């Protein structure tokens, strides 16, 4: 497995592969790899001749008061895990390599970036879209892999690719969960034992919502209220948001119908966790 620190090295490597007619899959990550990241890499391994992974804790997608400095990092361990799933190249640049000059350009997907997570993280998706655009231009992949765990991010990236005419297929990979249902996240590392237990409230409240919908409940406010009650019942949890929205537009729904996304963000102690479920609800004629 190649490990590159410089943009030029990545470009050279990929150019050479493309000259030989190889197809390239790309998995962007912030490292501290876990089963969620590895499931993206395995999927990329299946579809492509060459798999490129980036490991870069992108400062521009953190708000000033967030955990950029403390965000867990362990490149040595990450390289081992990436090699084990057959990754061909890891791009692990320093911040100065990526943002080398005082850049004046950002990439913003309007509207979709302001909703859900965008309300409490107003700069987050501009940071994500800018780094993803830069990485797409550096790597030049045929396909790129993103996790359903960040449902809003996937939707925004798909829109970015469409609007800016990137010739890249975006592949979405299901949420990898712990045995008890907790969505796997690098930030789970911050949780102590009691917080880890409390964190289950995200998954459990989404399951409760699913049960209500299967039982015929269509009123989004009623479902949201049940979720809020469940989260309030957990003393270590504090709700950031819960939204029931259309999967394609992220517009709020009053009635649960068609392709629905239920997404939430909850603070467990100091740690902000997200989770979601997608449901297809048949409408009665
Ligand atoms: P991150 O390193 O957190 O920026 O995540 C890199 C990629 O891995 C993103 O596309 C995430 O959506 C994806 N990812 C993170 N956690 C999971 C998970 N539990 N299941 C599936 N994909 C995930």
């Amino acid at each position: 497995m190649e490990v590159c620190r410089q943009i030029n090295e990545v470009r050279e490597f990929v150019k050479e592969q493309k000259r030989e007619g190889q197809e390239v899959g790309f998995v962007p990550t912030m490292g501290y790899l876990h089963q969620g990241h590895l499931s993206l890499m395995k999927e990329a391994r299946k579809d492509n001749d060459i798999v490129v992974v980036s490991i870069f804790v992108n400062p521009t997608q953190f708000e000033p008061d967030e955990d950029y400095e403390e965000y867990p990092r362990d490149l040595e361990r990450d390289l081992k895990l990436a090699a084990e799933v057959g990754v061909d190249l890891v791009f692990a640049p320093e911040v100065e390599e990526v943002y080398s000059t005082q850049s004046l350009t950002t990439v913003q997907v309007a509207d979709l970036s302001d909703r859900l997570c965008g309300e409490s993280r107003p700069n987050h998706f501009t940071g994500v879209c800018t780094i993803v655009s830069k990485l797409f231009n550096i790597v030049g992949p045929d396909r790129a892999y993103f996790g359903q765990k960040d449902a809003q991010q996937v939707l925004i990236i798909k829109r970015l690719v469409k609007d800016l005419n990137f010739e890249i297929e975006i592949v979405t990979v299901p949420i990898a969960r712990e045995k008890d249902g907790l969505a796997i996240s690098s930030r789970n590392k911050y949780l102590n034992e009691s917080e880890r237990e409390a964190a289950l409230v995200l998954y459990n409240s989404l399951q409760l919502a699913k049960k209500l919908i299967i039982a015929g409940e269509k009123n989004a406010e009623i479902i949201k209220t049940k979720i809020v009650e469940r989260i309030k019942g957990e003393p270590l949890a504090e709700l950031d948001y819960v939204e029931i929205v259309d999967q394609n537009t992220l517009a709020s729904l009053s009635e649960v119908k068609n392709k629905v996304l239920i997404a939430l963000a909850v603070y467990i102690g100091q740690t902000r966790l997200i989770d979601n479920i997608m449901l297809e609800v048949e409408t009665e004629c």
Side-chain angles (χ1 to χ4, degrees):
M1 188 177 75
E2 300 270 334
V3 181
C4 297
R5 297 299 208 148
Q6 311 291 327
I7 291 168
N8 282 348
E9 299 172 280
V10 181
R11 284 200 203 280
E12 280 308 308
F13 179 91
V14 175
K15 242 187 240 164
E16 183 62 33
Q17 301 300 329
K18 290 248 167 119
R19 225 176 278 135
E20 291 169 13
Q22 309 279 48
E23 290 193 326
V24 177
F26 175 47
V27 183
T29 82
M30 297 209 299
Y32 208 70
L33 301 181
H34 52 61
Q35 286 306 320
H37 298 116
L38 297 177
S39 68
L40 269 62
M41 294 174 203
K42 286 179 195 162
E43 210 53 40
R45 186 67 283 165
K46 277 194 228 154
D47 303 341
N48 302 277
D49 303 305
I50 296 293
V51 177
V52 175
V53 169
S54 63
I55 295 179
F56 179 62
V57 184
N58 174 39
T60 66
Q61 71 189 70
F62 289 78
E63 301 296 332
D65 58 344
E66 287 184 348
D67 57 340
Y68 172 67
E69 298 294 342
E70 307 91 72
Y71 196 85
R73 294 160 170 90
D74 189 344
L75 185 59
E76 210 172 302
R77 177 175 160 277
D78 286 352
L79 294 179
K80 242 190 238 157
L81 291 170
E84 276 170 21
V85 292
V87 170
D88 298 288
L89 182 146
V90 170
F91 177 42
E94 296 293 337
V95 174
E96 296 71 25
E97 175 69 4
V98 176
Y99 297 107
S100 57
T101 53
Q102 275 290 337
S103 176
L104 296 175
T105 308
T106 55
V107 181
Q108 189 172 12
V109 175
D111 182 60
L112 294 176
S113 298
D114 302 332
R115 299 167 182 272
L116 309 182
C117 285
E119 287 207 21
S120 46
R121 307 184 78 192
N123 304 298
H124 173 67
F125 288 112
T126 301
V128 169
C129 288
T130 304
I131 189 61
V132 168
S133 301
K134 283 163 75 71
L135 291 168
F136 281 177
N137 281 327
I138 292 165
V139 176
D142 298 285
R143 298 180 192 84
Y145 295 76
F146 291 86
Q148 194 54 50
K149 157 109 188 315
D150 299 87
Q152 185 176 11
Q153 173 171 277
V154 176
L155 192 66
I156 290 171
I157 298 295
K158 282 188 175 163
R159 191 54 184 258
L160 163 81
V161 162
K162 183 166 182 269
D163 289 353
L164 295 186
N165 307 97
F166 279 105
E167 214 183 339
I168 300 172
E169 182 192 341
I170 301 301
V171 182
T172 311
V173 179
I175 302 176
R177 297 183 178 280
E178 302 285 2
K179 276 206 183 82
D180 60 3
L182 177 69
I184 301 175
S185 162
S186 304
R187 290 192 168 99
N188 292 350
K189 177 185 160 51
Y190 298 144
L191 305 172
N192 64 29
E193 210 176 306
S194 48
E195 289 172 339
R196 169 64 184 79
E197 223 166 277
L200 252 194
V201 77
L202 282 88
Y203 177 70
N204 286 342
S205 62
L206 289 171
Q207 289 306 307
L208 168 70
K210 185 174 169 182
K211 257 195 216 153
L212 288 168
I213 292 169
I214 289 171
E217 184 57 69
K218 295 256 193 291
N219 186 318
E221 275 314 311
I222 291 176
I223 298 163
K224 272 206 269 188
T225 304
K226 296 279 186 199
I227 293 176
V228 172
E229 277 170 8
R230 173 60 72 95
I231 289 166
K232 278 197 176 143
E234 172 48 67
L236 295 177
E238 196 186 326
L239 184 67
D240 179 9
Y241 73 80
V242 53
E243 297 285 354
I244 301 181
V245 298
D246 179 277
Q247 270 176 32
N248 296 313
T249 63
L250 302 184
S252 249
L253 296 174
S254 51
E255 184 193 347
V256 172
K257 61 177 178 195
N258 303 325
K259 295 190 169 192
V260 177
L261 167 70
I262 308 180
L264 46 73
V266 179
Y267 284 94
I268 303 293
Q270 301 293 309
T271 305
R272 184 176 177 280
L273 300 178
I274 57 171
D275 200 349
N276 67 80
I277 49 168
M278 304 271 221
L279 297 166
E280 185 140 12
V281 184
E282 283 184 23
T283 39
E284 288 151 25
C285 309

